């Protein structure tokens, strides 16, 4: 071994830097060019706002077991649609592990979620529309008590829109329905998903359809079916006001590529990985158009990690009306978010062919 030349040292340092910038980037270099191109496009779109989304969605998964096709074949007759992913009932986690304080975010939007899972309360002239209901064990502490802390009345939650039928978003729905008569709004596909689960589920109320207007008092939300994360994932367009100025939010209803880890709930002979990736890609592309037409300048998620809520929510407490709103990222950044989601899904799809 001879001493490293300056050039080699620079190369070694830059290789180390690459290592440190994340596994996704490193893996991309080892991946087929078509995969690497999509990862690079996602990386470029992630910009200053959406690093976390990029890292989570674009990282190459540990190779899915070759068992996938075997297990899919064996479950052919059962052919479950994506399950409600309810892990066997176990004691709920301690409150200190998940509790988050409620936050007023816009004139008419309040954060009443947990540290990781979001619930958004939209206030109108005739009551509240809630978007997502958290878990059954946290809905009271976060949504009910949270609204009271903010001076709002939980009994005025007229509608709860469920982004998709997984426990972290739909678990609190039955409580709200039973306690306040809240009307639960879910897509037909995800009503089925909920009804297949063994948990105590809400009675079927409102079926969300594509392009549906959900109006309460002076406020109308638009719902869009964006299958991918589940068959009936719902994304929502929400009109907002910040000190009287109008903004528009898009909430992307389901983010992670769950089928890569939760094979049993998703993969059947009719619905291989390709099926889920393709739907996700179409939905992300379509919602980017919706966002552009709606002039959406705010991006909301139902997980705090994806939309930057972990850093944005604390910023709101000291903010004055003159300071920029941390959630108002502009139209391009909103579309960039959906580009990251779509390009990472395209990378995932391309990885299938490369296997
Ligand atoms: Zn989910």
């Amino acid at each position: 071994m001879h001493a490293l030349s300056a050039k080699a040292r620079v190369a070694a340092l830059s290789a180390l830097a690459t290592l440190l910038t994340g596994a996704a980037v490193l893996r991309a270099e080892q991946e087929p060019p078509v995969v690497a191109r999509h990862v690079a496009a996602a990386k470029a779109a992630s910009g200053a706002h959406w690093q976390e989304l990029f890292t989570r969605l674009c990282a190459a998964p540990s190779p899915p077991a070759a068992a996938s096709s075997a297990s899919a074949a064996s479950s052919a007759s059962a052919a479950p649609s994506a399950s409600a992913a309810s892990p066997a009932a176990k004691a709920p986690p301690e409150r200190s592990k998940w509790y988050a304080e409620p936050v007023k975010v816009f004139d008419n939007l309040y954060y009443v979620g947990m540290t990781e899972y979001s619930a958004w309360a939209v206030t109108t002239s005739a009551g509240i529309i809630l978007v997502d209901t958290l878990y059954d064990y946290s809905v009271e502490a976060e949504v009910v008590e949270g609204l009271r802390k903010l001076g709002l009345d939980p009994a005025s939650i007229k509608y709860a829109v469920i982004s998709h039928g997984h426990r972290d978003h739909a678990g609190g729905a039955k409580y709200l329905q039973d306690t306040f008569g809240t009307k639960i709004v879910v897509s037909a596909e995800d009503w089925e998903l909920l009804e297949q689960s063994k948990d105590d589920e809400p009675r079927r109320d409102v079926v969300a359809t594509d392009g549906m207007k959900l109006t309460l008092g002076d406020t109308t939300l638009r719902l869009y079916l964006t299958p991918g994360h589940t068959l009936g994932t719902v994304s929502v367009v929400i009109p907002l006001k910040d000190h009287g100025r109008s903004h528009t939010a898009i909430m992307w209803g389901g983010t992670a590529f769950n089928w890569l880890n939760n094979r049993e709930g998703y993969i059947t002979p009719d619905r291989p990985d390709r099926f889920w990736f393709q739907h996700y890609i179409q939905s992300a592309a379509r919602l980017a158009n919706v966002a552009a037409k709606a002039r959406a300048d705010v991006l909301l998620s139902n997980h705090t990690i994806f939309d930057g809520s972990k850093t944005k929510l604390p910023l709101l407490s000291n903010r004055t009306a003159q300071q920029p709103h941390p959630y108002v990222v502009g139209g391009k950044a909103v579309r960039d978010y959906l580009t990251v989601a779509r390009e990472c899904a395209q990378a995932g799809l391309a990885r299938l062919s490369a296997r």
Side-chain angles (χ1 to χ4, degrees):
M1 289 285 278
H2 39 81
L4 289 175
S5 68
K7 213 170 165 187
R9 270 202 305 276
V10 170
L13 277 174
S14 94
L16 180 65
T18 305
L19 257 172
L20 295 174
T21 53
V25 176
L26 182 66
R27 288 206 190 101
E29 289 174 357
Q30 301 159 342
E31 290 187 308
V34 58
V35 176
R37 271 201 301 280
H38 287 300
V39 172
K43 173 81 182 153
S46 68
H49 294 285
W50 315 126
Q51 283 306 312
E52 206 57 62
L53 179 74
F54 168 75
T55 305
R56 304 262 174 145
L57 290 189
C58 259
S62 41
S68 64
S69 55
S71 76
S74 71
S75 65
S77 54
S81 54
S83 84
S86 40
K90 48 183 178 193
E94 237 177 86
R95 178 184 162 111
S96 63
K97 298 252 187 324
W98 50 259
Y99 182 78
E101 290 292 333
V103 181
K104 179 169 185 170
V105 180
F106 283 86
D107 299 355
N108 61 330
L109 186 78
Y110 298 78
Y111 184 81
V112 287
M114 305 159 70
T115 53
E116 301 300 325
Y117 309 96
S118 311
W120 301 96
V122 183
T123 52
T124 80
S125 60
I128 293 171
I129 303 175
L130 187 71
V131 180
D132 277 359
T133 63
L134 310 174
Y135 283 98
D136 54 357
Y137 64 78
S138 54
V139 63
E140 250 187 295
E142 300 286 19
V143 176
V144 177
E145 292 310 317
L147 289 174
R148 289 201 179 115
K149 268 194 190 181
L150 293 161
L152 299 165
D153 180 7
S156 72
I157 307 174
K158 303 291 187 212
Y159 293 103
V161 178
I162 307 294
S163 61
H164 65 271
H166 289 162
R167 317 256 20 103
D168 42 348
H169 312 290
K174 183 171 168 47
Y175 174 91
L176 296 174
Q177 188 179 59
D178 290 349
T179 311
F180 304 119
T182 302
K183 292 253 179 291
I184 309 300
V185 184
V186 186
S187 69
E189 291 80 359
D190 280 30
W191 271 120
E192 270 180 43
L193 180 59
L194 285 174
E195 286 157 3
Q196 280 165 14
S197 84
K198 295 176 195 70
D199 303 283
D200 208 7
E201 295 305 337
R203 296 178 313 280
R204 198 180 270 236
D205 271 337
V206 181
V207 176
T209 55
D210 192 50
M212 178 178 178
K213 291 181 179 176
L214 181 63
T215 300
L216 182 63
D218 58 359
T219 302
T220 298
L221 272 50
R222 286 292 286 259
L223 312 184
Y224 293 91
L225 299 188
T226 51
H229 181 78
T230 62
L231 286 178
T233 297
V234 170
S235 295
V236 189
V237 176
I238 309 170
L240 300 171
K241 287 258 162 53
D242 176 39
H243 294 101
R245 291 189 52 190
S246 292
H247 296 281
T248 302
I250 283 251
M251 199 203 70
W252 180 228
T255 309
F257 306 152
N258 273 31
W259 55 92
L260 296 177
N261 306 312
N262 177 16
R263 311 294 290 170
E264 216 180 298
Y266 283 84
I267 304 299
T268 69
D270 290 346
R271 294 176 188 151
D273 289 272
R274 179 172 306 280
F275 169 94
W276 296 101
F277 275 124
Q278 282 169 343
H279 277 86
Y280 193 108
I281 291 163
Q282 283 164 14
S283 293
R286 197 262 178 131
L287 201 67
N289 285 331
V290 169
K293 288 209 182 87
R295 298 177 178 274
D297 55 357
V298 174
L299 188 290
L300 301 176
S301 174
N302 44 16
H303 288 263
T304 54
I305 192 78
F306 293 125
D307 60 8
S309 282
K310 283 170 187 278
T311 50
K312 288 171 183 167
L313 290 173
L315 292 175
L316 290 166
S317 55
N318 298 321
R319 175 180 173 254
T320 64
Q322 285 71 42
Q323 289 171 322
H325 194 297
Y327 278 91
V328 177
V329 293
K332 181 177 181 300
V334 169
R335 294 190 300 279
D336 282 347
Y337 185 97
L338 294 163
T339 300
V340 174
R342 177 174 51 75
E343 290 287 354
C344 290
Q346 286 177 298
L349 182 62
R351 281 184 187 115
L352 296 177
S353 331
R355 278 215 301 267

